[in-house]
Amino acid sequence: MLSFLGGHLQFIRDLTRRVLQKLPLDTLLSPSQNLHRRALGNLYELPLMFSTGFRGRIQLLAQTMSIISVSLLAIERLSDFSPLFFTGLCEAIVAALFMNIYIVGLNQLYDIEIDKVNKPYLPLASGEYSVGTGVVIVTSFALMSFWLGWVVGSWPLFWALFVSFVLGTAYSINLPLLRWKRFAFVAAMCILAVRAVIVQLAFFLHIQTYVFGRPAIFTRPLVFATAFMSFFSVVIALFKDIPDIEGDKIFGIRSFSVRLGQKRVFWICVYLLQMAYAFALFVGAASPFLWSKLITAVGHVILASTLWYHAKSVDLNSKAAITSFYMFIWKLFYAEYLLIPLVR
């Protein structure tokens, strides 16, 4: 099984290398850098080139964990852990990560001036990579994502990529009626749609219908995962702008933090998460399996208590403290994806 999967991933890696070797990056580089040689010399750095810093890298890891967690909800028996399952899982992860690189990279291409204030360490904002290089690489990863989704032949996977592409583009691109990130409510709905709905439903159906060939059903754990992650996605959408309030004010981004203030949005996020954990506790207690009741109930009580303890100690006048708490919220996000497969 391991050799089978290894060969499958080697094919995807070789495909990425061949595509990048054909790109005319040498003519697009900033004079002080040789990105082409560095990128081709270490292929594993490519997914991180637009993910410098905590937020970008955490998104890649979070998306991988979410796909694995939701895919496990389709497992009904031990025999389901087969090469077929792991192949379908790897195809979904790689295609989704390619699309994530497109979305994150596109956002940075249109946020260069804002990032010079909020996140000057990012490669485009710092001048480490040229705009031309960014355009070529972002476009390439979008095309590779769609190509992989089409070759696999899974309609749930392809539509997940397509809807993510449309929403991610509309969120960032500066065209009339677009750049939805300027509007707090619309921006939050974009993030909610991708993280809470598309990830849960599309990747579950990819495994359930395409990989296992079973009828499309919406199970109790799947409904819980979608509802819970809707709360969590709203919190992430609200909280991610709290540390960036200075740059958002300068460039006219009317986020909820700008409109309502950092303190109010901070506590709205905390209370929303506490409501989500109360809901999770109720769902866990209603499980017909004792082991599921114990693990999910105790796990969510621990997470809720830890959240409240950390929230009360945050200095809301310190950008470093707020950013640190935002990192902590992502850790809670990880922890939830460890519990979701145990909800039965």
Side-chain angles (χ1 to χ4, degrees), residues 17 20 25 34-46 49 129 137:
R17 184 184 296 276
L20 290 167
L25 293 178
N34 193 345
L35 176 61
H36 188 194
R37 291 182 182 177
R38 185 174 68 181
L40 293 177
N42 188 356
L43 186 63
Y44 297 104
E45 289 184 2
L46 282 171
M49 65 195 337
Y129 304 148
I137 295 175

Side-chain angles (χ1 to χ4, degrees), residues 131-329:
V131 173
T133 299
V135 170
V136 170
I137 295 175
V138 163
T139 303
S140 300
F141 275 100
L143 292 175
M144 286 192 293
S145 178
F146 278 124
W147 178 86
L148 183 57
W150 181 263
V151 169
V152 169
S154 168
W155 281 111
L157 175 60
F158 185 84
W159 280 108
L161 299 174
F162 179 76
V163 175
S164 298
F165 172 85
V166 171
L167 293 179
T169 302
Y171 180 87
S172 298
I173 197 167
N174 194 10
L175 289 175
L177 303 179
L178 299 179
R179 194 159 174 78
W180 292 349
K181 67 182 297 178
R182 294 176 298 170
F183 313 106
F185 178 78
V186 179
M189 290 302 100
C190 284
I191 295 174
L192 186 150
V194 173
R195 295 193 181 280
V197 180
I198 295 175
V199 169
Q200 318 306 321
L201 300 183
F203 290 105
F204 172 83
L205 292 175
H206 166 67
I207 299 296
Q208 177 77 3
T209 63
Y210 172 75
V211 175
F212 291 148
R214 296 169 182 161
I217 55 174
F218 296 94
T219 62
R220 178 174 171 273
L222 178 64
V223 172
F224 162 76
T226 303
F228 187 94
M229 285 307 172
S230 294
F231 275 92
F232 226 122
S233 298
V234 170
V235 170
I236 290 174
L238 293 175
F239 206 101
K240 74 179 184 64
D241 294 325
I242 296 179
D244 297 339
I245 190 171
E246 180 181 350
D248 290 348
K249 284 181 178 179
I250 294 173
F251 291 95
I253 303 297
R254 299 287 293 166
S255 67
F256 280 110
S257 296
V258 172
R259 295 164 61 184
L260 301 178
Q262 290 176 304
K263 182 176 181 180
R264 184 177 296 179
V265 173
F266 177 89
W267 285 108
I268 287 174
C269 291
V270 172
Y271 291 136
L272 282 175
L273 283 183
Q274 294 291 9
M275 290 170 59
Y277 285 131
F279 169 68
L281 186 62
F282 172 79
V283 172
S287 172
F289 302 100
L290 179 60
W291 61 268
S292 180
K293 285 184 179 182
L294 292 175
I295 295 175
T296 56
V298 173
H300 286 111
V301 166
I302 292 174
L303 294 179
S305 302
T306 306
L307 168 66
W308 187 252
Y309 172 79
H310 279 269
K312 293 179 67 176
S313 63
V314 174
D315 179 7
L316 296 178
N317 295 316
S318 169
K319 181 176 180 178
I322 294 173
T323 302
S324 176
F325 188 77
Y326 178 66
M327 295 167 65
F328 171 71
I329 288 178

